[in-house]
Amino acid sequence: MNILAIESSCDETSAAVITEKSGNPVLLSNIVSSQIDIHKEFGGVVPEVAARAHIENIIPVISECLTKAKVNIADIDYFSVTSGPGLIGSLVVGVETTKAIAAVYNKPIIPLNHLEGHFYANFLSDVKPKFPIVALLVSGGHSMLIYMSDHLEYKIIGTTKDDAAGEAFDKVSKVLGLGYPGGPAISVAAVQGDENAYKFPVIDLTPSPERGEDMFLKYPELSLDFSFSGLKTAVINQVKKIGENKLTEKNKNDIAASFQKAVIDTLVQNSLRAVEKYKPKTFILSGGVAANKSLRESLTIALKGKTTFIIPEFNLCTDNAGMMGAAAFYHIKKGDKGNNNFVADPNLKL
């Protein structure tokens, strides 16, 4: 079984070829064309600019992907593509390109939810996750805890009530003048800073009687939801207190380190609660922020002895078609025959 997967939900144009070996997905090629340098000058992704770049890149990326995999496009059995969520202009480029090629070769398409791909990046590891699974997805647009009882069975057990972790990284990086994308910039600065220099809040959304919330009596369980808006505000207030024009390199590094620690402590806090409640055989980390070394190390230490912890390779954390192809593989294994009559949905739900 050969699958050609295409991903273009935001600002990465990617194509990958997945095949099957001993009943498992195997990645033959995974080409990613990043637009980071294009969007850096704007301090974030500009949707129209991203869509135009996808149009320019998608055919060369697919061609390179097939060449590297040493697979002829006529030998592809299934096409798969991210149909949402994401930027509508970016999604449309991938969806319509896939539809056109699939029509020429009369092959089925497996439309995919982008979030599924992040989970299934972990199934490209040498050690395969075992069910039940608790998955932590941390990216620019999402901070979620998911319970998976089996393949393609998803139950959202925790989600962000405001900003996603990746979004908070981008905003704090911008305030500190560290550049875009915020995640890597904050990580680099944090290495040189003191994570205990500033006491930023670790948000716990569990209702408490001390806050006078009556619903504590109805919902006494510890919350698995996230909130990063208050943390972002605390950083902004600290910058204002020092004076934006008076920030030294040490100030920036210390604030970056302290902010990163608060984010990680929040993610670890809720992850441990989810493991305690759901008793999974495997805990998986996914999403762009999963590339953060400090987060990977902190979760490794926190989960030791509690469950098996699996992390995708660094190149499979950020948006890529390889992870989408892995998700398509398990869709097909569960009997998905494909659907060539679908549209891009920027608000697609899991």
Side-chain angles (χ1 to χ4, degrees), residues 297-334:
E297 291 168 1
S298 296
L299 281 171
T300 299
I301 294 168
L303 295 171
K304 188 175 182 180
K306 294 179 172 62
T307 187
T308 300
F309 179 38
I310 295 179
I311 323 171
E313 294 180 17
F314 285 104
N315 66 318
L316 293 174
C317 292
T318 52
D319 294 351
N320 68 92
M323 67 184 194
M324 304 310 299
F329 177 90
Y330 287 101
H331 269 267
I332 296 163
K333 283 293 185 180
K334 289 201 76 171

Side-chain angles (χ1 to χ4, degrees), residues 33-75:
S33 177
S34 175
Q35 300 177 18
I36 286 178
D37 290 340
I38 298 174
H39 298 285
K40 263 184 179 178
E41 62 177 298
F42 304 108
V45 178
V46 180
E48 185 177 345
V49 173
R52 289 178 182 274
H54 283 305
I55 292 169
E56 294 177 4
N57 295 333
I58 195 160
I59 297 301
V61 164
I62 292 171
S63 178
E64 184 181 351
C65 160
L66 291 165
T67 299
K68 187 171 182 180
K70 297 179 180 178
V71 172
N72 191 298
I73 196 164
D75 297 325

Side-chain angles (χ1 to χ4, degrees), residues 3 5 15-20 24-31 69 124 313 315-316 320-326:
I3 304 167
V17 174
I18 293 276
T19 192
E20 181 178 7
N24 293 312
V26 175
L27 194 57
L28 296 182
S29 65
N30 190 20
I31 304 301
L124 292 171
E313 294 180 17
N315 66 318
L316 293 174
N320 68 92
M323 67 184 194
M324 304 310 299

Side-chain angles (χ1 to χ4, degrees), residues 27-197:
L27 194 57
L28 296 182
S29 65
N30 190 20
I31 304 301
V32 180
S33 177
S34 175
Q35 300 177 18
I36 286 178
D37 290 340
I38 298 174
H39 298 285
K40 263 184 179 178
E41 62 177 298
F42 304 108
V45 178
V46 180
E48 185 177 345
V49 173
R52 289 178 182 274
H54 283 305
I55 292 169
E56 294 177 4
N57 295 333
I58 195 160
I59 297 301
V61 164
I62 292 171
S63 178
E64 184 181 351
C65 160
L66 291 165
T67 299
K68 187 171 182 180
K70 297 179 180 178
V71 172
N72 191 298
I73 196 164
D75 297 325
I76 296 295
D77 301 299
Y78 292 88
F79 291 89
S80 67
V81 64
T82 304
S83 60
L87 302 175
I88 184 60
S90 295
L91 289 167
V92 164
V93 176
V95 166
E96 296 306 318
T97 301
T98 305
K99 281 184 175 182
I101 301 173
V104 170
Y105 291 93
N106 193 28
K107 295 293 173 69
I109 302 173
I110 309 293
L112 296 164
N113 187 301
H114 178 71
L115 307 188
E116 289 184 282
H118 281 303
F119 302 144
Y120 277 94
N122 290 275
F123 283 84
L124 292 171
S125 303
D126 291 335
V127 179
K128 299 293 183 283
K130 293 181 180 179
F131 296 99
I133 294 168
V134 167
L136 173 62
L137 170 60
V138 207
S139 66
H142 301 88
S143 292
M144 307 171 75
L145 281 163
I146 307 291
Y147 179 77
M148 298 175 65
S149 56
D150 200 353
H151 284 297
L152 313 181
E153 299 291 331
Y154 311 111
K155 177 185 176 184
I156 299 174
I157 57 176
T159 188
T160 181
K161 295 301 183 182
D162 40 59
D163 293 348
E167 183 182 358
F169 269 99
D170 284 341
K171 289 180 178 176
V172 167
S173 181
K174 189 173 183 178
V175 167
L176 294 176
L178 297 177
Y180 173 85
I186 291 286
S187 294
V188 169
V191 170
Q192 305 168 70
D194 176 5
E195 64 180 21
N196 297 308

